[in-house]
Amino acid sequence: MKIKPLTPAQLYTPCKLEELTFKTTDELDDVDSVLGQDRAIAAIKFGLRIDKSGYNIFAMAPDGTGKLTIVKQLAEHEAGRRPVPADWCYVHNFTQPAKPKAIRLEPGEGKVFQEDMAELIDELSVGIPAAFDGDEYRSRAGELENESRQREVEVLNSLREEAEQAHIIFTETPNGYAFLPADDDNEALTPEQFNKLDKDRQHKFHDTVLALQERVQDAIKKFPQWRKETKRKLQALNREVAELAVHHSIDELKDKYAKHQAVLDYLSAVQQDIIDHVRDFIPHSDKVLSFMELPQDPNPLKRYRVNLMVDLNHRRSAPVICEDLPNFGNLLGRIDHQAQMGSLVTDFTMIKPGAFHKANGGYLILDARKVLLQPYAWETLKRTLQAGEIRIESLERALSLISTSSLEPEPIPLEVKLILLGDPMLYYLLSFYDPEFQDFFKVAADFAGHVDREHNSLEYARLLATIARREKLRPLSQQAVARIIEHSARMADDAEKLLTHLRSIKDLLTEADYWAGENGHTVIANSDVQQAIDEKTHRLDKLRERLYAAIQRGTVMIDTQGKVAGQINGLSVLQLGEFSFGQPSRITATTRMGNGKVVDIERETELGGAIHSKGVLILSSFIAARYARTSPFSLAASLVFEQSYGHVEGDSASLAELCAILSSLAQVPLRQDLAMTGSVNQLGQVQPIGGVNEKIEGFFDICSARGLTGTQGVIIPASNIPHLMLRWDVVHAAQAAQFHIYPVSRVDEALGLLSDMEVGTADALGQFPPDSFNGKIDAQLQQFTSLINEFAVKADSK
């Protein structure tokens, strides 16, 4: 049966304008979510609402499909149904300064508490100095100091009077106390005068001075103890005054936060610490530090601050956080350091929150690939989810790379729903290689790459209208929407589907809007959309032009006329970034007498991939099963892609390779004005392939450049007919009978088209008609077998 070419209506499926009931997209309402993602949306809603451990979400879709927009919208909608989570802050730990304490407060109270503490310290910074500068304190402190001083003076005066009675002068010198002998008028004796005294009087003076010195020493030993007692009394006085100054302000805060035991405990510790360190509140003159003296804290009152980690005062729902750089520190938070006197110092006020802190009680959205690219971020994420708490520590300390002391903030309990965004392949790889992955991400939301075209044109137009308004673009005309729908089906490689890759759609709209402006249009027209498509192709098709020019010059040999045995035009697709195009390739085959082996030269030279090699083995099995069921398979064949210097992969050329081998075997020439694509199975059935539009257009461009003859065309699998959305110039050429697309379902149909002769069907005895294609193949194989047998007999006779 002769295969008829496809009609022009089968090559391109236009958009039905009657389904687009508008003049411009300004008449259409916005859509809330991306079209055709019902499955993914249902999975995300399930994952967001189930309140069980491990039911985090992995949203599977390539970049640019709009999954982040959908996930964020759904998370924000769900967050609106949940209460605002608690505020968290870190405060100084007065018993263990290296372990700051975490305090949980009601939403909005964290900021108030921070301000209350700042106001308290400001108030005490004024009130405490005022209390110690008052007359009452000065009077009482003066009395204590006077009492201590008077006690020392009385003891010294008593000793001085006793010395005077013994005619001894008691005097104070820079080096201590001294005793001098005196005359009857209490005038100090000179050494000469003292030496003139009789020995008894000298001895008496000497004994009296020794006794007085002992008593002075005993008294001096008591002075430090008396001064300590006075100091303790002053400290008690200071504490009493400080308590009076602090008590009222602290009690007001305690009443305000009576429901928060952690705050009450903290305020009690603050009160005790202020009393113990009341001198920090009293201004004193700065002193110059000596070279070896360690600097004091320039701001000792900083320890009373509140480090507000999570402030949800401005929110009315649970938080939804998207972290663009999910590294170790940005996830868990970090502890900053400050350079001081050549060393790095830190305190609890330098603790910074991470994404887990900000999303605690809500939803955290991360890009899976970015998480995996950051060192130790993936393991940190899993460990944090497993522990159910946020523990801030430096990466160096976590890896035991340093042993220096640092802060160890109290962990904060974690309650978060985590949503990872990533490619489907990434999801499957993690599922396979990470045994813990399924413990943490039990919900997979699989986004569709396309949507059914039937009955969805108007909804797709609403999506275009939404994107145009969101991006502040011009509205689209009815014809422009129709052209975008048609191009979307082309990008989806299926005339019955529409692409849902939002980035590609938005880029097309943006470029069409630009050309509309250049052309002076207030509405994006059909011509603007087509110009955007053509201009983008022109920007990217330099390599295609160079390749096609090489074919036209004969550098790359491709025939588009005549017939040649064992030679056929195969078709492949080159993908270069966003641009793909068809590449015709000459496939040749040689056959000879052999033992049934088909040599794939691409595989032998390690230029052929596994799938291509599989296709060659399948076609060799088909040849053996059809033509050597009852006789030896006495064939040896070689296959090669001529002038191919790169890697060859895929089985879309296996049908062409099979036809080339059979043509060489039967010595039946094949038409060179036809190109072919399609894979074949062991039963001879032709299977669909990808990139059918680009492959057809690639051979058409070569034929068109050389001049269309009316006989040229492409053979494709019949199952690829629904995928056809060819360029208009190809459709017009087919309409004018200048170019043809032939669908085939079996190998014999392709052989008939290529050879213009009867292929032949086996009879009940398995014999093919002698003048048919298959009959010539069968005859050649029998001849090979006979020759092998003759050689074997001659070899045995020798």
Side-chain angles (χ1 to χ4, degrees), residues 514-535:
Y514 169 79
W515 291 115
E518 291 291 305
N519 298 327
H521 298 161
T522 58
V523 175
I524 298 175
N526 179 19
S527 59
D528 300 321
V529 175
Q530 187 59 47
Q531 186 174 2
I533 296 171
D534 295 341
E535 289 290 339

Side-chain angles (χ1 to χ4, degrees), residues 505-672:
I505 299 170
K506 186 184 76 172
D507 291 347
L508 177 59
L509 289 180
T510 301
E511 295 177 26
D513 178 77
Y514 169 79
W515 291 115
E518 291 291 305
N519 298 327
H521 298 161
T522 58
V523 175
I524 298 175
N526 179 19
S527 59
D528 300 321
V529 175
Q530 187 59 47
Q531 186 174 2
I533 296 171
D534 295 341
E535 289 290 339
K536 183 172 184 178
T537 300
H538 180 66
R539 294 196 300 268
L540 299 172
D541 71 345
K542 184 183 74 171
L543 289 178
R544 181 180 68 172
E545 287 186 357
R546 291 177 60 185
L547 176 61
Y548 289 181
I551 294 175
Q552 297 304 326
R553 296 175 64 185
T555 306
V556 176
M557 293 184 288
I558 299 291
D559 291 336
T560 56
Q561 294 182 11
K563 290 185 176 182
V564 180
Q567 177 178 300
I568 194 169
N569 292 321
L571 297 172
S572 58
V573 174
L574 287 182
Q575 181 76 40
L576 301 172
E578 297 182 84
F579 184 62
S580 60
F581 61 92
Q583 177 189 11
S585 300
R586 173 179 288 181
I587 301 174
T588 61
T590 58
T591 54
R592 55 205 173 274
M593 183 174 56
N595 57 1
K597 182 178 180 181
V598 177
V599 177
D600 178 11
I601 295 178
E602 306 295 336
R603 181 183 62 183
E604 297 297 324
T605 57
E606 298 184 354
L607 290 177
I611 298 177
H612 178 262
S613 300
K614 177 183 177 182
V616 174
L617 292 175
I618 289 174
L619 68 88
S620 64
S621 298
F622 167 77
I623 296 173
R626 168 174 279 195
Y627 302 107
R629 290 179 62 86
T630 58
S631 60
F633 190 27
S634 306
L635 169 70
S638 299
L639 275 172
V640 70
F641 278 73
E642 301 289 356
Q643 294 182 285
S644 171
Y645 308 106
H647 195 71
V648 177
E649 181 58 301
D651 63 349
S652 64
S654 59
L655 177 62
E657 292 170 327
L658 173 59
C659 292
I661 291 176
L662 297 179
S663 168
S664 174
L665 182 60
Q667 285 300 296
V668 174
L670 302 180
R671 293 172 56 181
Q672 300 301 297

Side-chain angles (χ1 to χ4, degrees), residues 1-3 622 626-627 655 658-659 662 676 680 683-686 715 743-762 768 772-775 777:
M1 183 181 70
K2 188 171 179 60
I3 303 299
F622 167 77
R626 168 174 279 195
Y627 302 107
L655 177 62
L658 173 59
C659 292
L662 297 179
M676 175 182 289
V680 66
L683 303 178
Q685 297 169 329
V686 180
I715 298 173
V744 296
S745 300
R746 302 191 63 85
V747 174
D748 290 343
E749 296 174 356
L751 290 173
L753 283 168
L754 291 167
S755 63
D756 290 329
M757 67 180 296
E758 184 66 29
V759 178
T761 304
F768 295 100
S772 66
F773 200 123
N774 284 328
I777 294 173

Side-chain angles (χ1 to χ4, degrees), residues 1 182 189 308 339 436 508 797:
M1 183 181 70
L189 298 176
L308 184 57
E436 298 176 333
L508 177 59
S797 63

